[in-house]
Structure formats: C-alpha cells, structure tokens
Amino acid sequence: RSEKEVQQQAPERSRSESGLLVVLDLFGKLWTLPYTLIGFLIGLPAIGLGARISFGENAVRFEDFPFGCGALTLGNCVIYARGTAPADKVIGMYDDPRCLCVGRHEQAHTYQYQLLGPLFLPVYFLAGGISPRNPLERAANEYAAGGSWWPRGWR
C-alpha cells in the first residue's frame, strides 16, 4: 500500500473509533439513567430556591444548591452546594495534597457511574464510601490531576 492509501484509511479508522466511543458513551448514560433521574428529582425543586442548572463535565449540573456542602454526583447529574462551584480548586480533597478542580473530580465519578451503572453505589460503599481510602475517590482525584478516572489495579 502507498503512503497516500494509509493516510486515507486513517481518518476512516478514527471516525469508526469515534463512532464506537459515542455509542459506548450513550449506552453508559442509559445504563446509569436511574441515578441521573434521582439527581434530577433532588436538583429540580431547588431551582425555586435559587439553584441554577448548567451543563458541563459530562453532566447536568445543579449549582448553588441551597443545602449541604461540597458536591454530589448521581449518574450524569452533579449537585454543587452553595459555596462550591465546578471550577473551584481545592487542596486536600480526600487527603490529597494537590490543588484539584472539583468539576474534574466529579466528572470522573460520572465516568465511573457510566461503567458501573446501577452497581456504582454498592461498589462505592463497599470500597470505603466517603473516605480517602476509597479507590474510586482516589481515582477521581487522579483524573482531576490529569490521570485516569479508573482506580489503579482494578480491572
């Protein structure tokens, strides 16, 4: 094959790979839809109390949620309590000494949900729950720092 033929086939391969990624992303969003709907049921009523809806980091975001603190991811829905924003940089998140972006951390959880679907919360709590020892939390910190969203050593 000539170099020209190889170059012509490469974009087709990347288009088909892109198409597969889109299909997998859509399947993941459907797979975790029950959790996403729970996030909507929690977030939508808060709009009347000053919460705002936005989109980003692979999620529908409810910002300025009037209760709680920090952020909570449910499927492809992230609820940011008043005083926490997706662009915030936090030092010491789950005992991590790095300055990490909250939105990227929560985005990692959306990918974890898309892979595990309805199994996410049982796996999350069996892995340690809201704790620096939880490998899913450590992986979310790694993703916020530019690494992988999936825990090291988990296959």
Side-chain angles (χ1 to χ4, degrees), residues 96-133:
D96 194 309
R98 298 172 290 188
C99 185
L100 302 171
C101 176
V102 175
R104 290 269 303 170
H105 176 96
E106 299 306 324
Q107 183 178 10
H109 288 315
T110 68
Y111 296 140
Q112 294 166 353
Y113 267 103
Q114 284 184 216
L115 183 67
L116 296 172
L119 303 174
F120 178 83
L121 282 183
V123 168
Y124 181 85
F125 285 109
L126 285 171
I130 302 169
S131 161
R133 291 182 312 278

Side-chain angles (χ1 to χ4, degrees), residues 17-77:
E17 287 173 2
S18 295
L20 177 61
L21 290 176
V22 168
V23 169
L24 289 173
D25 184 58
L26 289 173
F27 178 78
K29 285 176 172 50
L30 288 173
W31 175 229
T32 194
L33 188 60
Y35 286 122
T36 303
L37 292 175
I38 292 169
F40 271 87
L41 289 174
I42 294 168
L44 283 174
I47 290 175
L49 300 171
R52 295 175 294 108
I53 194 167
S54 64
F55 303 91
E57 291 88 29
N58 196 40
V60 175
R61 306 181 304 202
F62 290 94
E63 298 181 56
D64 291 325
F65 191 77
F67 308 107
C69 62
L72 170 68
T73 300
L74 292 163
N76 290 99
C77 182

Side-chain angles (χ1 to χ4, degrees), residues 68-98:
C69 62
L72 170 68
T73 300
L74 292 163
N76 290 99
C77 182
V78 182
I79 298 169
Y80 292 93
R82 198 164 281 148
T84 303
D88 286 353
K89 303 277 187 176
V90 176
I91 295 175
M93 192 174 354
Y94 293 100
D95 292 342
D96 194 309
R98 298 172 290 188

